């Protein structure tokens, strides 16, 4: 079937989680599988990592319930926290742990009487300035949570980094210092590190690390690709050539006549386009693998097709395999050619792209 498909390698996911553990040997692991496991399939990822992760984190209640319905039994941290009173009940029923990022969520918990108390993680804003309680309010809010009947045990403490993928950025040092100072002496487990923190900031490892992108093989350090950090791509996005045409030097290719053949050369057409989630703004020259060899995008990405300069794979013929990213072609590298990050490429793989078992 000549349409785009993707596969996910469970061994790569487990390998990448082991890389995180090696980097932070004294920390437990919250595997972040929000946004449908960064597009890889949340249940698929949770099942692959069931024996390796200490718990999972998702962004929304619906995502947590999908995992529970799918038989995932580990604790799940809900990063949005409770948005309404019913969420506290659901958390108690389904063994979900709640992030608490605002004073109004503390009040919501204070008013709740769930059937049993829930584990909470108070998010402190140490300098990212997105969500999180202000440094000056953190201790008092932690105390209030600790006293709330709806809250199980000592509330945990967490923060999130703005720049952890930059190994020398003093912003992260300042965030770690601010978090450590304001939480000093509180008897609570702590979590600071996303993937960037895991790989670049040992001082941030604490009790719990929260790797996301690195589990999927994406980079967490600027200027490096996933494979440079011993991370293996978990997702392969593949399709096939549907046509190959000989073109002449100066011929234009595709919409806007934007591709110009620099030579007499074969041009391939592959069955994938922006309707599959391959970004329309991928610039000419973006690498693709044809028969395992690096070829380059020529002209604009269409809805269902791309056109490829086949000079690097001159024998390629219709039906031959084309890889958009994965083993042999890091999504980080493709993302750079699209002015984005691998996170977005993964999340945008469209529902019409069918899943294919690895090796099938
Ligand atoms: C998404 C997220 C993570 C994981 O971040 P990566 O950069 O993908 O490792 C960790 N913690 C929180 C709170 C998040 O929202």
């Amino acid at each position: 079937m000549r349409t785009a498909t993707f596969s996910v390698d469970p061994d790569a996911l487990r390998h990448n989680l082991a890389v995180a553990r090696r980097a932070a040997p004294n920390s437990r692991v919250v595997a972040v599988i929000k946004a449908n496991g960064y597009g890889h399939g949340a249940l698929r990822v949770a099942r692959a990592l069931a024996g390796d992760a200490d718990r999972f984190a998702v962004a929304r209640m619906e995502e947590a319930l999908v995992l529970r319905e799918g038989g995932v039994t580990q604790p799940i941290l809900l990063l949005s926290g409770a948005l309404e009173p019913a969420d506290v009940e659901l958390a108690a029923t389904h063994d979900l742990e709640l992030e608490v990022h605002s004073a109004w969520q503390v009040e919501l918990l204070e008013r709740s009487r769930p059937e049993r108390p829930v584990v909470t993680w108070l998010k402190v804003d140490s300098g990212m300035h997105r969500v999180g309680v202000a440094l000056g309010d953190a201790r008092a809010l932690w105390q209030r949570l600790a006293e709330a009947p709806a809250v199980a045990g000592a509330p945990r403490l967490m923060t999130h980094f703005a720049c952890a993928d930059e190994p020398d950025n003093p912003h992260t040092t300042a965030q770690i210092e601010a978090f450590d100072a304001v939480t000093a002496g509180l008897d609570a487990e702590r979590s600071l590190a996303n993937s960037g923190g895991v790989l670049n900031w040992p001082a941030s490892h604490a009790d719990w690390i929260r790797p996301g992108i690195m589990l999927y093989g994406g980079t967490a350090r600027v200027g490096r690709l996933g494979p440079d950090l011993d991370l293996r791509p978990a997702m392969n996005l593949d399709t096939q050539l549907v046509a190959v045409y000989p073109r002449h030097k100066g011929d234009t290719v595709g919409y806007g006549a934007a591709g110009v053949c620099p030579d007499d050369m074969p041009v391939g057409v592959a069955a994938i386009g922006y309707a599959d989630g391959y970004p329309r703004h991928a610039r000419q020259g973006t690498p693709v693998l044809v028969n395992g060899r690096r070829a380059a995008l020529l002209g604009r990405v269409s809805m269902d097709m791309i056109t490829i300069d086949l000079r690097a794979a001159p024998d390629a013929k219709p039906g031959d395999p084309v890889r958009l990213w994965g083993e042999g072609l890091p999504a980080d590298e493709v993302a750079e050619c699209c002015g984005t990050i691998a996170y977005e490429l993964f999340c945008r793989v469209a529902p019409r792209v069918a899943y294919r078992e690895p090796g099938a």
Side-chain angles (χ1 to χ4, degrees):
M1 197 173 53
R2 290 182 186 172
T3 55
T5 57
F6 79 108
S7 65
V8 174
D9 177 358
D11 290 330
L13 292 165
R14 288 189 279 265
H15 167 87
N16 296 336
L17 192 140
V19 171
R21 276 206 196 275
R22 267 205 304 284
N26 300 315
S27 307
R28 280 173 288 167
V29 177
V30 182
V32 181
I33 59 172
K34 62 194 177 193
N36 195 27
Y38 291 46
H40 292 62
L43 260 179
R44 187 175 291 127
V45 177
R47 286 173 182 156
L49 297 180
D52 302 74
D54 298 295
R55 52 196 15 65
F56 295 109
V58 295
R60 299 172 170 222
M61 180 61 82
E62 308 83 78
E63 297 174 331
L65 297 181
V66 164
L67 293 177
R68 284 289 177 255
E69 279 155 27
V72 174
T73 55
Q74 280 87 354
I76 297 171
L77 165 57
L78 181 59
L79 295 168
S80 61
L83 304 178
E84 54 188 34
D87 291 343
V88 183
E89 295 294 341
L90 281 171
T93 311
H94 295 284
D95 192 20
L96 312 179
E97 305 181 346
L98 295 174
E99 181 179 304
V100 179
H101 58 62
S102 298
W104 68 261
Q105 289 184 315
V106 174
E107 286 154 24
L108 195 159
L109 279 156
E110 284 176 329
R111 288 195 307 270
S112 298
R113 295 291 181 273
E115 63 185 69
R116 53 192 188 80
V118 295
V119 172
T120 58
W121 299 68
L122 181 66
K123 179 172 283 170
V124 179
D125 178 9
S126 59
M128 171 133 174
H129 299 153
R130 192 178 55 180
V131 293
V133 303
L135 288 168
D137 299 334
R139 294 182 77 90
L141 290 171
W142 184 85
Q143 196 60 47
R144 277 172 57 188
L145 271 183
E147 288 164 11
V151 171
R156 295 170 180 180
L157 290 158
M158 63 185 286
T159 194
H160 195 49
F161 293 133
C163 309
D165 55 338
E166 301 170 34
D168 302 314
N169 194 324
H171 196 84
T172 304
T173 313
Q175 285 198 258
I176 295 170
E177 286 172 3
F179 181 78
D180 286 351
V182 80
T183 62
L186 297 179
D187 184 14
E189 294 179 11
R190 289 163 171 72
S191 178
L192 300 82
N194 57 357
S195 299
V198 172
L199 291 171
N200 308 319
W201 297 91
S204 74
H205 290 169
D207 301 297
W208 294 90
I209 54 172
R210 305 189 310 272
I213 192 67
M214 70 180 294
L215 300 176
Y216 309 98
T219 190
R221 192 179 310 176
V222 292
R224 308 285 290 278
L225 303 172
D228 302 339
L229 306 168
D230 187 31
L231 299 170
R232 288 173 45 191
M235 178 193 290
N236 289 311
L237 179 63
D238 293 300
T239 189
Q240 291 179 312
L241 288 176
V242 293
V244 177
Y245 298 97
R247 300 289 179 208
H248 293 109
K249 181 174 176 156
D251 282 353
T252 62
V253 175
Y255 284 120
V260 182
C261 293
D263 219 332
D264 291 350
M265 57 190 263
V267 172
V269 182
I272 191 163
Y274 59 80
D276 298 293
Y278 189 82
R280 184 177 176 278
H281 45 281
R283 63 167 187 261
Q284 293 200 63
T286 299
V288 299
L289 296 181
V290 178
N291 290 329
R293 270 181 282 168
R294 262 176 193 251
L297 204 65
L298 179 70
R300 289 191 189 149
V301 173
S302 306
M303 184 180 285
D304 303 291
M305 287 181 269
I306 57 172
T307 37
I308 302 171
D309 173 345
L310 286 179
R311 284 177 297 171
D315 303 328
K317 56 188 188 308
D320 283 357
V322 177
R323 172 156 294 172
L324 292 314
W325 59 72
E327 195 70 47
L329 179 55
D332 298 321
E333 209 184 325
V334 177
E336 238 174 76
C337 295
C338 308
T340 186
I341 52 180
Y343 299 72
E344 188 185 11
L345 296 186
F346 294 150
C347 290
R348 280 187 183 270
V349 173
R352 81 176 196 185
V353 177
Y355 183 70
R356 170 178 42 84
E357 290 299 331

